[in-house]
Amino acid sequence: MVTGARWAMITAIPMRTEHLLTLTQWLSPAYPVGAFAWSHGLERAVARGDVSDSASLADWLAAVLQHGAGRTDAILLCTAHGADDVMPVAELAAALAPSCERRMETMQQGAAFAATTRAVWGLELPDMAYPVAVGRAAGLMDLPVVPVAQVWMQCFASNLVQAAQRLMPLGQTEGQRVLSGLSRICADVGAAAVHASLDDIGSATFSVDVASMQHETQYPRIFRS
């Protein structure tokens, strides 16, 4: 992990104004990728009682970010950013999904992101897994990869906090407190992913993966994953 003064230096990397505005537009809740429809297995975790308050939510999300899809997606994003041929990265990303719903989550959001970004910016961006599509688009637009990966991590966490607010008694202020507590993890994992390769991908969030598998038969439910 990056710590202390080194962390502060990395997170202070400047972006050109147009790059910053493009990135915040892409990762804004208003960008039409349908992120609100997916909970990444969190709905099942709440139903099982694994996540029941802000403390257990923070622990769950920290595990996802550091040891699960958060870290994996950050590495995929960074690799796609600098790849000469992005398709092998895209194929690996699709294959890594541990359940049917998780594959749909990343593929459908990625396709929606790619469609809008092609239409607005005219990029040659095929449909592919969400983090790969964002990384590829950022590379084509010359957005610096470190802040892209870090903001990606924060937006991923933010989407899950918003999902939790629909699933359990969690007020907006407490939700923002949880998200703020995860900011250091988002910055660290995003920065470290720049120096990782596809061979470094691995996860150890078995409970999260099982929850996503069990969610496929959960009824009633409000999320698609």
Side-chain angles (χ1 to χ4, degrees), residues 38 40 90-111 128-131 212 216 224-225:
W38 309 92
H40 202 76
E91 292 168 1
L92 177 62
L96 286 172
S99 69
C100 177
E101 287 186 349
R102 287 270 296 278
R103 189 179 191 280
M104 290 171 58
E105 178 180 322
T106 191
M107 297 305 294
Q108 292 189 15
Q109 288 187 77
M128 58 185 77
Y130 192 20
S212 73
E216 295 176 7
R224 299 188 66 189
S225 69

Side-chain angles (χ1 to χ4, degrees), residues 80-172:
H81 184 280
D84 293 328
D85 181 3
V86 75
M87 294 316 297
V89 187
E91 292 168 1
L92 177 62
L96 286 172
S99 69
C100 177
E101 287 186 349
R102 287 270 296 278
R103 189 179 191 280
M104 290 171 58
E105 178 180 322
T106 191
M107 297 305 294
Q108 292 189 15
Q109 288 187 77
F113 175 87
T116 300
T117 307
R118 283 195 302 266
V120 176
W121 281 271
L123 302 181
E124 293 185 11
L125 190 67
D127 293 354
M128 58 185 77
Y130 192 20
V132 181
V134 172
R136 180 62 169 174
L140 292 173
M141 295 284 287
D142 293 325
L143 274 64
V145 67
V146 171
V148 171
Q150 291 172 325
V151 176
W152 163 270
M153 293 288 292
Q154 185 191 48
C155 290
F156 179 41
S158 178
N159 286 335
L160 294 183
V161 168
Q162 291 181 63
Q165 290 175 321
R166 296 167 63 186
L167 292 167
M168 55 189 281
L170 183 72
Q172 292 184 346

